[in-house]
Amino acid sequence: MKQTLWTKNFTLLIIATILGGIGGIAGSFALSFLVYDETGSTLASALIVAVQFIPGFIIPVFAAPYMDRLPRKLFLVGGDMVNGLLFALAGFYLLKMPFTYWGYMGFSLLLQSLGSFDMLAYNSIYPNLIPDGMEQKGYAVSSMVYPVLMVIMMPVAAWLMDAIGVAWILIIQGGLSMLAACIESGIKINEEKRRGDEKFSFKLWKKDIKDALEFMKKEKGIGYSYLYTGFAGGIANGYGPIMVAFFRTAPGFTVAMYSFFSVAECIGRAIGGLFHYNLKIKPEKKFGLCFFIYEFYDLMDACLLFLPYPLMLVNRAICGFLGSNSASLREAAIQSYIPDEYRARVIAFSDIMFFAMGGVLSLIVGLLGEIMDYRLCMLICGVSGMIFSYYSIWMHRKDTRKVFMPRETA
């Protein structure tokens, strides 16, 4: 029988991902403009982003050893269910009460704390639901889901924000998250006896952390790869409020234009994911292709706000196409390279790196937005990314190239 990627488990997970993504995109869009409209400050918006990174810096290192021993499905389903309830409650709150900046900051901290478990579980269980030999296609699918939803949902979110308001968007988001949890509960996977039957204890937790650190020390290429993605992600999250402020304040730009601006990148990502799904790339070509995309993407970021609006759309579409391919290549390579018994802990350390750098960089970029032109901020972000990519990836290419090769030849 012909092997297929679309097993029942994989299909259920993708359906749940789509439902969660629909609500998440609409909710995030509405809340980003709500925060800026209420505060009028890029630094205040960036502070919200930075606070959201704190749980991701702390929680994974404590949760990951448990997740490498306990069923990850429990964390996945429970996380989506609780998040759904919280978003729904937040929506009902906003129907009756006014928005408060500090209240929203506390709510964001709580959501991100719970979301850290959910994200770690998702990233850990996802590779196990991809049939052997289908890793590139599996990660191509995951790279397409969000961009396709963005193409559809960004204009819809802009319309919904005016039509029904932020509160009802959050209520809908909560309902979709709870529905996603119900679908995920149908996934059948045997995880109960992973890594033995020894009773878990603090001593065993320390041993698990030590083992993971030894693995990371040995496999330096994974560390350098995650170091760059942490920096790049932090910069991207940092200039998110900058983009909102630019489209809100620059003459001739509107919220609707911002929504289509984001759609252009997502169309590129969707096409890139489809291209990657049907393309076979030789292992020895993957590293060089990824590094080229890193440098090119950062260069396009640097010049983005200096372009007329039509060329901005082209810029984002090209970056979306290339970024989708690099993300699929990188994640398929890394997750295939990491043994399953280490996966949650290695992902946890990558999350710590991502969130630590993201929190700091979000504040730095937000502060820059308070004191200089938004275009100059984007230029600095892009050039910084190019420099960091060179020193973290290319200067350590002996180690980082190994990750893209089959383990038996690496």
Side-chain angles (χ1 to χ4, degrees):
M1 187 172 71
K2 185 178 179 180
Q3 188 180 27
T4 177
L5 170 67
W6 295 97
T7 61
K8 180 181 177 181
N9 281 345
F10 186 79
T11 302
L12 288 175
L13 185 64
I14 294 300
I15 292 172
T17 302
I18 291 170
L19 291 172
I22 290 172
I25 291 167
S28 297
F29 181 90
L31 286 170
S32 64
F33 279 97
L34 177 64
V35 172
Y36 182 75
D37 288 344
E38 292 289 337
T39 63
S41 169
T42 60
L43 181 59
S45 299
L47 185 59
I48 293 286
V49 175
V51 165
Q52 291 174 344
F53 281 110
I54 294 174
F57 176 67
I58 298 173
I59 289 176
V61 73
F62 291 101
Y66 291 91
M67 207 168 287
D68 271 336
R69 292 180 178 273
L70 299 174
R72 295 159 183 165
K73 177 183 166 182
L74 176 65
F75 292 93
L76 183 67
V77 175
D80 279 340
M81 183 61 70
V82 174
N83 281 346
L85 288 170
L86 288 174
F87 274 114
L89 289 173
F92 285 117
Y93 172 87
L94 287 178
L95 287 176
K96 301 293 183 180
M97 306 293 288
F99 172 86
T100 63
Y101 177 79
W102 294 108
Y104 177 60
M105 181 176 288
F107 177 70
S108 297
L109 193 61
L110 174 61
L111 272 179
Q112 193 59 47
S113 297
L114 296 170
S116 294
F117 288 97
D118 186 39
M119 182 173 64
L120 186 60
Y122 184 93
N123 290 334
S124 299
I125 203 172
Y126 188 86
N128 295 336
L129 301 182
I130 301 175
D132 291 341
M134 294 285 179
E135 291 81 8
Q136 181 174 320
K137 287 182 179 292
Y139 279 96
V141 170
S142 69
S143 72
M144 279 192 289
V145 170
Y146 193 76
V148 170
L149 292 178
M150 285 284 282
V151 172
I152 300 169
M153 288 306 303
M154 286 296 278
V156 173
W159 175 79
L160 285 175
M161 194 166 65
D162 292 329
I164 63 175
V166 176
W168 280 107
I169 290 176
L170 295 182
I171 292 170
I172 293 171
Q173 180 180 358
L176 290 173
S177 292
M178 287 185 277
L179 179 58
C182 293
I183 291 173
E184 288 164 347
S185 67
I187 293 172
K188 305 297 183 183
I189 182 171
N190 183 16
E191 302 181 291
E192 284 73 12
K193 295 184 179 181
R194 194 171 57 249
R195 301 187 66 228
D197 298 320
E198 188 176 357
K199 185 177 180 181
F200 205 82
S201 64
F202 181 68
K203 181 179 179 180
L204 191 57
W205 174 85
K206 288 194 299 182
K207 180 181 180 299
D208 282 352
I209 292 296
K210 183 179 179 181
D211 288 346
L213 288 172
E214 288 296 324
F215 176 81
M216 292 284 286
K217 185 178 179 181
K218 178 182 177 183
E219 302 292 349
K220 295 179 181 178
I222 294 175
Y224 288 127
S225 296
Y226 279 135
L227 183 65
Y228 170 71
T229 55
F231 184 89
I235 287 289
N237 279 282
Y239 69 61
I242 298 294
M243 298 301 301
V244 169
F246 178 83
F247 276 86
R248 201 55 149 172
T249 61
F253 290 89
T254 66
V255 173
M257 290 175 71
Y258 177 76
S259 68
F260 285 106
F261 173 84
S262 300
V263 165
E265 180 171 357
C266 291
I267 290 175
R269 286 187 177 275
I271 295 172
L274 184 62
F275 178 79
H276 195 80
Y277 185 86
N278 293 286
L279 181 69
K280 186 70 174 179
I281 301 175
K282 295 180 179 179
E284 60 269 21
K285 301 289 186 181
K286 294 179 179 180
F287 170 79
L289 179 58
C290 272
F291 177 71
F292 167 77
I293 293 174
Y294 294 158
E295 290 287 293
F296 188 82
Y297 199 115
D298 289 328
L299 177 62
M300 296 290 269
D301 276 351
C303 66
L304 178 63
L305 297 187
F306 294 95
L307 301 172
Y309 184 70
L311 290 183
M312 284 184 176
L313 299 179
V314 175
N315 178 302
R316 290 298 89 182
I318 293 173
C319 285
F321 177 84
L322 295 175
S324 175
N325 279 277
S326 69
S328 297
L329 284 170
R330 181 184 64 247
E331 287 306 306
I334 290 177
Q335 298 308 327
S336 298
Y337 195 83
I338 301 172
D340 184 52
E341 65 268 21
Y342 288 101
R343 186 169 289 124
R345 285 168 292 162
V346 173
I347 292 174
F349 286 123
S350 75
D351 287 346
I352 290 170
M353 197 177 300
F354 176 85
F355 286 116
M357 297 180 76
V360 173
L361 291 170
S362 295
L363 287 176
I364 292 173
V365 177
L367 179 60
L368 290 177
E370 295 288 316
I371 61 178
M372 64 175 61
D373 184 85
Y374 298 141
R375 291 180 173 88
L376 184 57
C377 288
M378 283 295 294
L379 176 63
I380 292 173
C381 287
V383 172
S384 298
M386 294 178 69
I387 295 171
F388 200 87
S389 172
Y390 177 80
Y391 281 101
S392 60
I393 302 297
W394 185 254
M395 292 294 289
H396 300 95
R397 58 189 177 277
K398 181 179 179 181
D399 293 308
T400 52
R401 191 188 299 273
K402 282 175 54 181
V403 179
F404 292 88
M405 302 297 292
R407 174 169 280 277
E408 61 270 16
T409 63

